[in-house]
Amino acid sequence: MCNPTLAIAGAQAVMQYQVANAQQKAVQAQQRRQNEIALRNRNQAIVSKQRKLIQITKGRLEKIGEGEKLSRKKRATFKVNKENFTGNSYDFLLANYYDKEAGYRNRVLGNIESSKFQYLQDLKSIDLRYDSQSTYVSPVDRKMNALSSGLSFGSTYYDYKAKQNRYQTNEEKYDYRDYTADDGWDWQN
C-alpha cells in the first residue's frame, strides 16, 4: 500500500509541473501581446508620419503652383507694358522675374526635401521605439519544469525516509545489490 505522504508528494509534484507550465504559457502569451501592441504602435506611427509628409508636400506644391501663377501674371503684365522699357532694362527685369520665381520654387522644393529627410529620421526613431517596446518571447521549458517537480518529489521522499529511519519505523533496508548487473560482479569484494 502506498504511503499517503508519498501520494500527496506525487500529486504535489504533478501540480507543480502543471502550474509551472501554465505560468510559462501565461508569460509567453503576455510577451506575444506586448509585441503585437508594439507592432500596432509602430504601424500607426508610420501611417501618421506618412500622412503628415503627404499633407505638407501637397501644401508646398500648391504654394509653388500659386507662385508660378502669380509670376506668370506679373510677367504677362510686364510684357504688355513692354513699350515703356527698352533694350537691356527690359531683359534685365524679365530675368529678375524668372530668377525670383526659380528662387521661390527652389526654397519650397528644399523644404520638401528637408521634410523627406526628417521623415526618414522619424522612421528610424519609430523602429528604435518598436525595438524597445517589443520583447523576446520565451519558450515553455517543460523539461526544466519536469526536472524541478521530480526533484521536489525526490526531496519529499527522502525526507520521509529520513523520518522513518530517525524513528526506526523503516523496516526496509537499502541495498545496492538490487541495482547491480547480472554479470556476477560482487560490489562488496
Side-chain angles (χ1 to χ4, degrees):
M1 176 142 187
C2 185
N3 187 308
T5 303
L6 295 179
I8 291 172
Q12 181 183 10
V14 169
M15 288 300 296
Q16 181 183 2
Y17 173 77
Q18 290 176 341
V19 166
N21 282 342
Q23 285 175 339
Q24 287 183 352
K25 286 179 183 178
V27 167
Q28 188 180 52
Q30 186 272 334
Q31 289 168 338
R32 284 189 176 133
R33 178 73 178 132
Q34 182 177 347
N35 287 347
E36 291 170 3
I37 291 170
L39 183 61
R40 190 176 68 230
N41 289 344
R42 177 185 179 272
N43 292 340
Q44 286 176 344
I46 288 174
V47 167
S48 173
K49 293 292 181 182
Q50 286 173 341
R51 285 183 183 156
K52 181 180 175 184
L53 178 65
I54 290 169
Q55 288 173 349
I56 289 173
T57 303
K58 280 183 179 179
R60 288 180 175 160
L61 290 175
E62 287 173 4
K63 283 183 180 180
I64 288 177
E66 291 170 5
E68 285 178 352
K69 284 180 188 176
L70 181 64
S71 179
R72 272 188 250 133
K73 186 177 179 182
K74 286 184 178 184
R75 278 194 315 262
T77 304
F78 177 72
K79 286 180 181 180
V80 168
N81 294 330
K82 180 180 177 184
E83 61 270 352
N84 296 340
F85 301 99
T86 59
N88 288 339
S89 59
Y90 173 78
D91 293 337
F92 177 76
L93 290 173
L94 191 58
N96 189 28
Y97 276 120
Y98 285 121
D99 187 43
K100 286 189 179 201
E101 179 185 350
Y104 179 74
R105 185 178 334 108
N106 288 340
R107 277 192 309 277
V108 173
L109 290 175
N111 289 341
I112 290 172
E113 189 66 30
S114 174
S115 294
K116 177 186 168 193
F117 177 78
Q118 184 60 44
Y119 168 76
L120 295 175
Q121 294 303 312
D122 290 346
L123 286 183
K124 289 178 184 177
S125 72
I126 289 170
D127 284 339
L128 286 173
R129 189 175 337 125
Y130 169 73
D131 289 341
S132 71
Q133 289 177 349
S134 63
T135 184
Y136 172 74
V137 177
S138 57
V140 176
D141 190 1
R142 289 179 175 83
K143 292 177 185 176
M144 190 60 74
N145 293 339
L147 180 63
S148 174
S149 297
L151 288 173
S152 175
F153 176 76
S155 172
T156 303
Y157 176 76
Y158 285 112
D159 286 345
Y160 166 73
K161 284 297 189 179
K163 285 179 185 177
Q164 278 187 335
N165 287 337
R166 183 173 47 200
Y167 298 120
Q168 297 177 352
T169 58
N170 186 12
E171 297 180 9
E172 298 174 17
K173 298 296 180 191
Y174 290 114
D175 191 2
Y176 290 104
R177 279 181 267 169
D178 296 338
Y179 301 111
T180 59
D182 292 332
D183 60 3
W185 183 75
D186 187 9
W187 65 276
Q188 293 176 343
N189 292 329

